[in-house]
Structures are given as C-alpha cells and as structure tokens.
RNA sequence: UCCUCCUUAGCUCAGUUGGUUAGAGCAUCUGACUGUUAAUCAGAGGGUCCUAGGUUCAAGUCCUAGAGGGGGAGCCA
C-alpha cells in the first residue's frame, strides 16, 4: 500500500479508509497527538495514538523533526482544530532526531528571527514560513511558463557564459580556466586570454535580452527565464549576486504593447497565487499583519498582503512619462519643503525616495514611468522623435521599487550605430546584434522582471535573501 | 562602497552612575497530568557577555581596532 500525501488526505476526506502517511513530526502533544507535515501543504495532519498501547521506547523517539511513517484509519476528529485525523495503529520511526541537537536549530518549536533562519538555510525549509515561500515560488515559476505558453511564446535558453559585456547592466563575474596562481601574460604584461578556454574574456551573463531579441526576430514571441549574475557590491535587502530573471521579447510590439503585456502578466501572476496558494498565502498574510502592527503607524502598509495582491490584480496601473513624473515631484510637498535628499531636475535619474513618493504617496498603486532621457538609459532603447528621450519603461511597485524594466528596442540600423558610438560601444563587440537590423528589421519590445522581487511581492517577505533557497550576496556563498 | 544601529544561555532579550555569585521568557531534560491545538503544573541543567588590545583598584558596562549581522543609501532587477 502506498502512502498518501497529506494535502490529498485533507482535501479528499476519505473517512473510514486505511491510510499510510510519511512525514516529519512538527509537534507531539500530550503523548497522544502527533502533528505531521510532509511538505505537500502548510497544513499538518494530526495522528492520534493510544499511548497506553505503545512501547515507551517508540514514544520517546516521536520527537520534533523526526521522520515517521504512520499507519491507521482516517476518522473525523473529536477535537476542534481539524476536521479529520488519523487513528494510529502503527508508527515506524524512519529517521530519529535528537532533541538536544534539534534544540540548536530552527526546528526548535518556537518563533525565530529571519536572521537566525537565514544562518540555517539548509533547515529553514522545515518551517511554515519558508515552506509557504518556496511553494509559492514554485507556483510563480509554473505560472510564468503557463502565461507565456498559453500566449504562444517560446521559451528561449540564452547562454549563461557570455563574451558580450556591452549591456552595461553591471559588474560581471569573470569565468576562466586559468590556474589563478599562474596566469599567462602577453609581452606587455596583460592577461593573455588567447590561452584561456574560450580564447577570449568570458563572463557570467547579466541579461539574456540581446540574445532574446534575436530569437524574437524569427520566432515572434520568446521569453527567457534563467539565472543572472551581478558582481556589484550591493548590500541591500533587494539585491542578489545570483538571481533569476524573466525577459520576454516580442516582434512588432511598440512601447504601449509592451506596457499592456507587462500589466497583464503581473496581474496574471498575482491572480495565480491568490487562486492556487490560498493556504500558504493566508499564513503569510497573518504573519504580515503581525509584522505591520509592530511597526510605527507611519511605516505601516494600509493593505494586507492578500489585499495588495488583489489590488494589483484588479486595478489599472498608473502610466506617466518621466517628464510628467519630474513635474509632479517638483510640485510635491517634500520637494518644496526640501525633504528630498537628491535634487529633482529633468535629465537626472529618479532616486528611491522619488519613486517611493510617486508609488506610495501620490498614486498609491503600481506606476509605469515611460520615456526617460536617453542619457540615463541603455544604448539599445529606441530613440523617440523628440531626440531627447527613449521609449523606456520602469514598473514601480509599492514596497519593492523597480520590479520591471523594459523598452521598445532601437530597430533602425543607422540610429543603433550612432547609439553605439555615443555609448562608446565597439560595434565589433556586438556585430551579431547590429546584424539583426540589416535583414527585415522590425519594431520590437521587451522587458525584464526580477523573479525574486515578484516572489517578495507575492509572499510579503521584505528581504530578498528570504525568497531564494540559498542566497548569494557579497561575502556569502554558503550551502 | 557609504551612513547608522546591533552582537549577553539553543532562541528572543533585560542587565541602572563601571562595583559581590550575570537574569527572564521560550526551548531542552526529569517528574506529574492527559482529547491536545503556542497544552498545563513542578523542578533541573545550560554562559569564551563576538574577537584582540587598552583605561581602571575593579569592565557585560568606558576607549581603539577587527569580525559578523540588521536597517537605510548608492547601483540595479
């Protein structure tokens, strides 16, 4: 007889049937009630034993974190907290857990700080919070593939090792086969990359976008979903050295199509979590409510986690141009009272404090800002007719900041070449990219979504290190 | 990288103007109880006060440096 997943047991209520459950003990109360979790759901099944009939030595081993196999009959619960429970006939200890050892871990049955949990990333999956987070992370992964597949997009695997360094997206990790204690040098003392594995400098990718564009210009609609690396020395709750990014790219789309796609996509993901992860979401929602109430009133989010997801799913995003944003900011109270640390002036990039004002004070909803000055954006973004701005867009989320960055791409060969010159990019470095503008070039657009930032939004976690199983940050690559 | 705060028991923390033997709650263990839901009651064990220097009759407490962590900023997704 096969064992049944707890999720299935709780949903089907096959009362009266013989069942086998395998899982880990979360709590053992009154020498009678074993709370078992197997990861299939945040909910535990209660296994009830008549301790009078069991060997003392076995009872002793039913301790927090131990793995057990329980045979019994599913019955209606006599107690309140659950509708069904298992009347146990037999317990097998599959893996013991020494209480003295367990006590030193995050499995100790009490509240823990997220910092302590982070130190034990190998064990934090056992907690309700991280169980919920990583089930939802999976749900989002699946929803992303489903969204694009249903729309006729093709998933494109762009390279992780790349020799292109023209995107200016950030510092890159170098990849080499050299013996680092004995690096071949040329006559003038520089590193002799001709002797390296790829015969040239190679890095971990910072974005698959340029390659995705090439795919889109034949397959029509593509998206990438893969790991991305930044060697920036960023020590914040919103940055990782290794993170996952989704980058759709669509031929014949302009900036407006791009905004529509982004908005539909983010609404879809929010809805998907609401509809498919209600139990996990409820747990994280309660957690978030407690967290919010502990904060001073001015820092509190007026909406609960679930309300925030519903808000995104059901409300239009506010769309404004960069020029309008500057206008609004210069007329704002904090600007007039000189409360902003950084100046607001056309041509200067918006800082966190400005973005936060627009999203959290002025509009109180997700905001899409478009048409930024060309100088502060990447070389591949399409030049607008005014000659000063480009068809770029940033999507700003409350509490997260920039969650999506995208643009219509420069499809005109001559303009692209001029942009390369302006940005000091050697055309030889990106010859293959420029080449694509010679053969049936068409308008196209795309965006990048930082996956972990979406997981943060969907789970209410406020530190990005708590939404990826094993975070990589400056000075930290454990596990 | 910058600013700022923190580091005391397994965890979360308290520790007065520098002063005797460093405390609490939870967790663990032992016993009692037993249809519990963060079980309850009684008791016990548990300390490199982050590290290295320094000031002082005396340092968990003051000073210097370092390490680790949190929050914010910059950079960005």
């Amino acid at each position: 007889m096969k064992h049944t997943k707890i999720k299935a047991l709780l949903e089907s209520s096959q009362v009266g049937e013989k069942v086998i459950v395998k899982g880990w003990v979360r709590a053992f109360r009154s020498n009678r009630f074993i709370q078992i979790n197997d990861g299939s759901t945040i909910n535990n099944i209660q296994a009830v034993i008549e301790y009078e009939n069991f060997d003392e030595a076995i009872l002793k081993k039913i301790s927090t974190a131990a793995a057990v196999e329980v045979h019994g009959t599913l019955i209606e619960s006599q107690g309140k907290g659950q509708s069904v429970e298992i009347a146990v006939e037999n317990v097998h200890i599959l893996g013991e857990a020494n209480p003295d050892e367990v006590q030193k871990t995050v499995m100790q049955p009490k509240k823990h700080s997220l910092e302590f949990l982070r130190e034990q990333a190998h064990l934090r999956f056992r907690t309700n919070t991280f169980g919920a987070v990583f089930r939802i992370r999976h749900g989002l992964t699946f929803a992303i593939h489903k969204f694009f597949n249903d729309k006729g997009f093709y998933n494109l695997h762009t390279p992780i090792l790349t020799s292109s360094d023209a995107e200016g997206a950030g510092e890159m990790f170098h990849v080499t086969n050299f013996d680092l204690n004995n690096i071949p040098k040329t006559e003038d003392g520089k590193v002799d990359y001709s002797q390296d594995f790829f015969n040239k400098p190679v890095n971990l990718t910072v974005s698959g976008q340029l390659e995705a564009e090439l795919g889109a210009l034949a397959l029509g609609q593509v998206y990438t979903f893969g790991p991305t690396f930044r060697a920036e020395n960023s020590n914040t709750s919103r940055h990782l050295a290794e993170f996952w990014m989704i980058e759709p790219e669509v031929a014949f789309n302009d900036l407006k199509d791009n905004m529509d796609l982004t908005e539909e996509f983010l609404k879809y993901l929010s809805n998907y979590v609401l509809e498919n992860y209600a139990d996990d979401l409820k747990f994280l929602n309660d957690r978030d409510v407690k967290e919010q109430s502990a904060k001073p009133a001015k820092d509190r989010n007026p909406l609960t986690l679930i309300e925030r997801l519903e808000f995104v799913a059901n409300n239009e995003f506010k769309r404004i141009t960069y020029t309008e944003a500057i206008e609004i900011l210069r007329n704002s109270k904090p600007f007039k009272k000189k409360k902003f640390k950084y100046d607001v002036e056309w041509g200067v990039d918006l800082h966190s404090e400005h973005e936060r004002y627009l999203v959290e004070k002025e509009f109180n909803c997700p905001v899409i800002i478009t048409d930024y000055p060309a100088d502060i954006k990447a070389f591949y973004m399409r030049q607008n007719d005014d000659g000063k701005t480009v068809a770029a867009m940033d999507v700003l989320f409350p509490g997260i900041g920039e969650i999506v960055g995208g643009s219509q791409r420069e499809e005109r060969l001559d303009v692209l070449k001029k942009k390369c010159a302006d940005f000091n990019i050697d055309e030889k470095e990106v010859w293959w990219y420029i080449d694509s503008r010679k053969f049936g070039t068409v308008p196209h657009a795309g965006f990048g979504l930082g996956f972990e930032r979406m997981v943060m939004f969907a789970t209410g976690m406020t530190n990005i290190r708590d939404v990826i199983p094993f975070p990589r940050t400056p000075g930290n690559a454990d596990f």
Side-chain angles (χ1 to χ4, degrees), chain A residues 134-190:
Chain A
F134 292 121
R135 276 187 292 269
I136 289 176
R137 184 179 164 110
H138 159 78
L140 283 166
T141 303
F142 180 76
I144 286 161
H145 285 297
K146 181 164 166 49
F147 174 83
F148 287 121
N149 182 68
D150 289 355
K151 281 186 158 318
F153 280 64
Y154 300 108
N155 183 210
L156 195 70
H157 292 142
T158 51
I160 290 167
L161 299 175
T162 172
S163 61
S164 113
D165 61 352
E167 284 144 76
E171 289 292 311
M172 303 176 106
F173 287 102
H174 307 301
V175 178
T176 178
N177 218 23
F178 283 149
D179 173 0
L180 295 183
N181 293 312
N182 186 18
I183 296 173
K185 297 279 174 67
T186 57
E187 278 176 15
D188 51 357
K190 292 185 176 154

Side-chain angles (χ1 to χ4, degrees), chain A residues 174-384:
Chain A
H174 307 301
V175 178
T176 178
N177 218 23
F178 283 149
D179 173 0
L180 295 183
N181 293 312
N182 186 18
I183 296 173
K185 297 279 174 67
T186 57
E187 278 176 15
D188 51 357
K190 292 185 176 154
V191 176
D192 184 4
Y193 284 106
S194 70
Q195 294 189 48
D196 204 355
F197 188 86
F198 293 106
N199 309 118
K200 58 161 85 171
V202 161
N203 305 298
L204 293 178
T205 184
V206 293
S207 161
Q209 181 206 309
L210 300 188
E211 288 93 345
E213 282 186 49
L214 309 180
L217 291 174
L219 296 166
Q221 312 179 101
V222 300
Y223 70 104
T224 73
F225 187 177
T228 314
F229 308 88
R230 304 275 165 92
E232 299 285 350
N233 190 9
S234 302
N235 293 288
T236 83
S237 53
R238 301 181 307 282
H239 292 88
L240 291 166
E242 176 183 287
F243 64 101
W244 290 67
M245 190 150 64
I246 299 101
E247 296 177 294
E249 197 68 37
V250 184
F252 313 111
N253 264 13
D254 62 14
L255 186 64
K256 172 159 187 313
D257 300 324
N258 204 26
M259 285 192 274
D260 292 345
L261 179 67
T262 310
E263 188 166 340
E264 186 187 350
F265 179 53
L266 295 173
K267 283 175 154 56
Y268 179 90
L269 295 183
S270 299
N271 247 323
Y272 189 89
V273 174
L274 283 165
E275 283 174 11
N276 294 281
Y277 287 86
D279 288 346
D280 291 312
L281 209 48
K282 183 176 182 315
F283 176 85
L284 293 169
N285 191 68
D286 292 346
R287 198 184 165 281
D288 183 70
V289 166
K290 269 180 221 150
E291 196 117 300
Q292 294 290 337
S293 64
K295 286 196 217 169
K298 68 175 174 60
D299 297 335
R300 254 175 241 168
N301 195 316
L303 300 181
T304 67
L305 171 61
I306 290 173
E307 286 166 347
R308 296 200 291 273
L309 283 164
E310 286 170 345
F311 189 92
V312 166
N314 302 322
N315 288 278
E316 298 293 294
F317 293 10
K318 180 73 189 175
R319 301 181 182 191
I320 58 171
T321 65
Y322 167 87
T323 305
E324 286 164 347
I326 295 291
E327 199 64 9
I328 290 164
L329 288 166
R330 287 182 70 91
N331 285 316
S332 70
K333 264 190 203 164
F335 180 80
K336 288 179 175 164
K337 290 185 174 170
K338 298 199 190 312
K339 286 277 169 64
F340 285 139
K341 198 175 156 206
Y342 293 90
D343 198 19
V344 180
E345 198 184 337
W346 201 97
V348 176
D349 208 356
L350 301 176
H351 285 85
S352 307
E353 56 179 353
H354 309 131
E355 295 181 348
R356 192 168 304 148
Y357 174 83
L358 291 170
V359 173
E360 290 164 18
K361 295 281 186 289
E362 179 75 19
F363 297 117
N364 217 0
C365 73
V367 176
I368 309 182
I369 301 179
T370 61
D371 303 292
Y372 284 80
D375 306 351
I376 59 173
K377 287 292 178 181
F379 81 100
Y380 50 72
M381 297 189 177
R382 192 179 193 276
Q383 188 88 51
N384 287 329

Side-chain angles (χ1 to χ4, degrees), chain A residues 11 14 92-93 205 232 241 313 349 371 436:
Chain A
E11 281 169 2
Q14 321 153 331
H92 302 290
I93 309 297
T205 184
E232 299 285 350
D349 208 356
D371 303 292
S436 67

